């Protein structure tokens, strides 16, 4: 964090981070939060998002990734969730698994640069958080082990992998496999400056014996009443052990999972939701509710990919259910939003309404347990079919937002308050210059503008937050909406999203 970056970077990003005129919040009860998860998933498996196809040059891959970051800034996001281990392979020179063939078309082939190192550095230059997204068990999107790289762990340990549904998976019931998968993922965490370690919704691929782990069950499952209970135990171990190991290796890393949106239906379990869809507890052996209640995650981001009123899985019924599950647990709750369905002609008529996704976020406001949203996927945030994404952004992202602070880190040492060197009328607006004072360079600077002198309570929400800028030893930023008489303050933000006390104020004359 001591590297000195150019002032030009901050100035270049100023346009993207520039303020909008303060809306008439007095007319409504809603107060924009200072902290809110605003993320998007960037998928690499089968080249969904990045890279867009196999075999692109290093420069082409880099250009594509930078364009995704530009989109994140344009959509007023603060975090990206990037899939870097899609099929037991790696987007970095891993000590455990081969280079991903989604990069070059050939598993094990060096792409000519370090994609993860590049992605992390460029993400942070824009003041965005980088969450490393891992698929825990999937080995291949095809079922022939002979097609794996000769040095792939699945070739060296053929007893570790099982076929199912035309794909290959690591066997979660083998303790050595579980530890190996954790080691492979923690390799990225220990070697790169990533902000979060993130699992998607895939665990066991089925609840049937067609996934033939009968020999493993015979070896390890004697203490369990049935196959399903034992499988659930194995997934529980993966989740609880990952929490312990993440906190040992890098405790300020956010650790969480984005499961499928239904734990169990009420018809199956009285604790379940008023739904009638696929159940992660039964189908994937993923006790998502249990993980929250046991405190094994920093956050959970259920994929609530249904419209309001949809049978048999109604968004407006699942939001309060998940809010109740998370309430009082210390586990943050973010909602996975189905950007990919909005405006897709094959989807239901409700998804043809440009306001559907915006209405989701409006409904979320009634549930204070919800701390933000993650959008799937990046292509759809760019396509913005029927203007559904821009409608949600216009309606709900009227102010910038810092990413959430993990409750367990909230009491840590905050950054030193910066100095606001000046706020001067210039170039048709007000230019502010902030200078860091602490030993560590801030991750971000949050700029506040008030019509008069600010009270301490004015920094608790985002009503007067006009920009969040990438950190540096000093930054300059032009507020095109600033005017004579405005008062400016700057707050330093560290990588855990803790904030300093406000700087000195500066009145524009």
């Amino acid at each position: 964090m001591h590297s000195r970056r150019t002032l030009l970077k901050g100035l270049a990003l100023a346009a993207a981070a520039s303020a909008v005129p303060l809306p008439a919040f007095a007319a409504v009860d809603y107060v924009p939060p200072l902290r809110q998860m605003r993320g998007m998933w960037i998928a690499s498996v089968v080249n969904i998002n990045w890279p867009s196809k196999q075999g692109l040059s290093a420069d082409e891959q880099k250009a594509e990734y930078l364009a995704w970051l530009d989109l994140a800034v344009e959509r007023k996001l603060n975090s990206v969730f990037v899939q870097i281990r899609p099929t037991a392979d790696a987007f970095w020179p891993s000590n455990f698994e081969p280079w991903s063939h989604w990069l070059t078309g050939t598993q094990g082939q060096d792409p000519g640069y370090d994609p993860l190192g590049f992605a992390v550095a460029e993400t942070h230059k824009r003041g965005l958080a980088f969450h490393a997204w891992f698929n825990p068990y999937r080995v291949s999107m095809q079922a022939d082990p002979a097609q794996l790289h000769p040095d792939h762990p699945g070739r060296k340990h053929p007893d570790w992998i099982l076929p199912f549904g035309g794909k290959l998976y690591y066997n979660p019931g083998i303790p050595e496999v579980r530890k190996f998968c954790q080691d492979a993922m923690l390799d990225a965490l220990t070697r790169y400056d990533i902000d979060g370690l993130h699992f998607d919704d895939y665990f066991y691929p089925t609840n049937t014996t067609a996934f033939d782990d009968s020999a493993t069950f015979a070896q390890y499952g004697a203490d369990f009443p049935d196959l399903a209970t034992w499988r659930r135990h194995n997934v529980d171990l993966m989740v609880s052990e990952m929490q312990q190991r993440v906190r040992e290796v890098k405790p300020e890393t956010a650790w969480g999972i984005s499961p499928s949106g239904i734990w169990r239906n009420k018809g199956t379990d009285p604790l379940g939701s008023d739904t009638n869809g696929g159940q992660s507890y039964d189908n994937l052996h993923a006790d998502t509710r249990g993980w929250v209640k046991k405190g094994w995650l920093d956050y959970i981001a259920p994929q609530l990919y249904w419209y309001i009123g949809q049978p048999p899985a109604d968004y407006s019924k699942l939001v309060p259910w998940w809010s109740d599950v998370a309430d009082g647990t210390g586990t943050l709750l973010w909602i996975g939003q189905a950007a990919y369905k909005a405006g897709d002609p094959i989807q239901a008529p409700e998804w043809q309404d440009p306001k559907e996704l915006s209405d989701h976020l409006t409904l979320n406001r009634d549930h204070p347990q919800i701390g933000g949203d993650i959008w799937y996927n990046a292509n759809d945030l760019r396509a913005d079919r029927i203007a559904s994404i821009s409608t949600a952004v216009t309606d709900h992202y009227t102010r910038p937002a810092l990413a959430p602070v993990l409750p367990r880190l909230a009491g840590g040492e905050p950054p030193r308050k910066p100095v606001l060197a000046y706020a001067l009328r210039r170039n048709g607006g007000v230019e502010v210059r902030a200078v860091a004072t602490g030993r560590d360079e801030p991750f971000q600077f949050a700029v506040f503008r008030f019509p008069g002198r600010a009270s301490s309570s004015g920094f608790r929400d985002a009503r007067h937050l006009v920009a969040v800028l990438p950190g540096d030893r000093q930054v300059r930023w032009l507020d095109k909406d600033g005017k004579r008489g405005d008062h400016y303050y700057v707050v330093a933000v560290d990588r855990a999203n803790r904030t300093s006390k406000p700087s000195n104020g500066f009145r524009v004359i």
Side-chain angles (χ1 to χ4, degrees), residues 61 100 125 413:
Q61 290 184 19
S100 176
K125 283 180 185 177
E413 184 71 23

Side-chain angles (χ1 to χ4, degrees), residues 100-235:
S100 176
H101 82 280
W102 306 116
L103 292 165
T104 63
T106 303
Q107 191 170 67
Q109 181 178 327
D110 189 328
Y113 75 115
D114 182 347
L116 178 55
F118 172 82
V120 170
E122 292 299 324
T123 301
H124 288 160
K125 283 180 185 177
R126 286 155 179 77
L128 302 169
F130 185 97
H131 294 256
W133 165 15
F134 301 87
N135 184 287
Y137 299 127
R138 185 173 59 208
V139 171
S140 177
M141 297 297 283
Q142 56 81 43
D144 181 7
Q147 291 189 31
L148 299 175
H149 188 275
D151 293 331
H152 192 286
R155 292 284 294 276
K156 292 181 175 180
H157 304 275
D159 56 312
W160 282 11
I161 58 176
L162 289 172
F164 177 78
K167 300 173 185 172
L168 295 172
Y169 297 86
Y170 282 130
N171 185 345
I174 300 175
E176 293 82 7
V177 168
R178 190 173 69 248
K179 181 180 184 302
F180 174 84
C181 291
Q182 294 168 2
D183 291 344
M185 293 182 278
L186 289 167
D187 182 61
L189 183 64
T190 55
R191 294 168 57 196
Y192 295 87
D193 193 20
I194 64 181
D195 302 290
L197 195 154
H198 178 82
F199 280 7
D200 55 28
D201 54 326
Y202 294 103
F203 294 93
Y204 276 88
T206 179
N207 66 349
T208 71
T209 54
F211 185 76
D212 189 5
D213 55 355
S214 55
T216 317
F217 180 48
Q219 183 176 358
Y220 297 106
D223 294 334
F224 296 88
D226 53 45
L227 179 67
T229 304
W230 172 73
R231 285 179 173 177
R232 231 172 351 260
H233 171 72
N234 295 330
V235 178

Side-chain angles (χ1 to χ4, degrees), residues 25 30-34 38 396 398-400 460-464:
F25 284 115
Y30 179 69
V31 175
L34 179 63
R38 299 178 184 176
H396 297 278
T398 51
R399 315 299 323 148
R460 295 174 186 168
D461 56 58
R463 279 178 289 189
H464 299 281

Side-chain angles (χ1 to χ4, degrees), residues 21-40:
L22 286 171
F25 284 115
V28 296
D29 294 331
Y30 179 69
V31 175
L34 179 63
R35 295 180 173 88
Q36 183 178 53
M37 170 49 64
R38 299 178 184 176
M40 74 174 178

Side-chain angles (χ1 to χ4, degrees), residues 217-453:
F217 180 48
Q219 183 176 358
Y220 297 106
D223 294 334
F224 296 88
D226 53 45
L227 179 67
T229 304
W230 172 73
R231 285 179 173 177
R232 231 172 351 260
H233 171 72
N234 295 330
V235 178
D236 278 355
L237 286 176
M238 171 64 90
V239 173
S240 60
E241 290 170 359
M242 279 302 294
Q243 180 199 46
Q244 296 166 17
R245 298 190 67 183
V246 167
R247 292 194 185 181
E248 289 169 4
V249 168
K250 196 175 287 184
E252 292 205 347
T253 303
W255 150 239
I257 297 177
S258 58
S260 55
I262 298 174
W263 170 70
R264 299 191 97 185
N265 300 308
K266 187 182 289 186
T268 304
D269 189 321
L271 295 175
S273 51
D274 185 12
T275 52
N276 189 27
Q279 305 171 115
S280 63
Y281 182 93
D282 302 272
N283 298 351
L284 304 174
H285 308 291
D287 184 11
T288 54
R289 179 183 181 276
W291 303 339
V292 174
K293 294 297 188 183
K294 294 169 184 173
W296 291 348
L297 302 171
D298 288 322
Y299 69 87
I300 195 162
Q303 299 174 20
L304 302 190
Y305 293 169
W306 301 285
Y307 59 79
I308 294 172
Q310 178 171 346
D314 184 344
Y315 183 90
S316 65
K317 293 181 177 179
L318 281 159
V319 158
W321 186 87
W322 277 105
S323 298
D324 179 67
V325 167
D327 191 45
T329 63
T331 304
L332 300 179
L333 174 60
W334 307 331
I335 304 299
Q337 298 289 350
Y340 72 96
K341 289 187 175 180
D344 183 341
I346 71 169
Q347 297 291 337
E350 287 81 0
W351 286 112
Q352 312 312 317
D353 180 356
K355 292 279 288 181
E356 177 66 30
L357 288 171
S358 180
D359 289 346
H360 289 199
L361 272 60
T362 301
L363 191 153
N364 292 358
R365 291 178 176 181
D366 294 332
H367 300 275
Q369 300 88 348
I370 297 176
D373 303 87
I374 313 174
W375 301 87
Y376 185 79
N377 67 62
N379 286 337
D380 305 287
L381 264 69
R382 175 177 286 164
D384 194 25
R385 292 178 299 273
I386 64 172
S388 59
I389 302 303
S390 52
T391 297
V393 169
T394 299
D395 291 349
H396 297 278
Y397 295 170
T398 51
R399 315 299 323 148
L402 306 177
V405 178
L406 304 182
R408 63 182 175 85
L409 300 179
E413 184 71 23
R416 292 277 300 274
K417 73 176 182 179
V419 170
L420 182 55
Y422 60 71
L424 303 174
R425 285 190 294 152
R426 188 172 293 173
N427 300 324
V430 172
E431 184 179 280
V432 299
R433 176 171 173 257
V435 181
T437 59
R439 178 178 60 87
D440 294 327
E441 181 181 291
F443 180 54
Q444 298 168 326
F445 287 101
V447 182
F448 290 80
R449 182 185 72 223
F450 295 83
R453 189 181 300 274

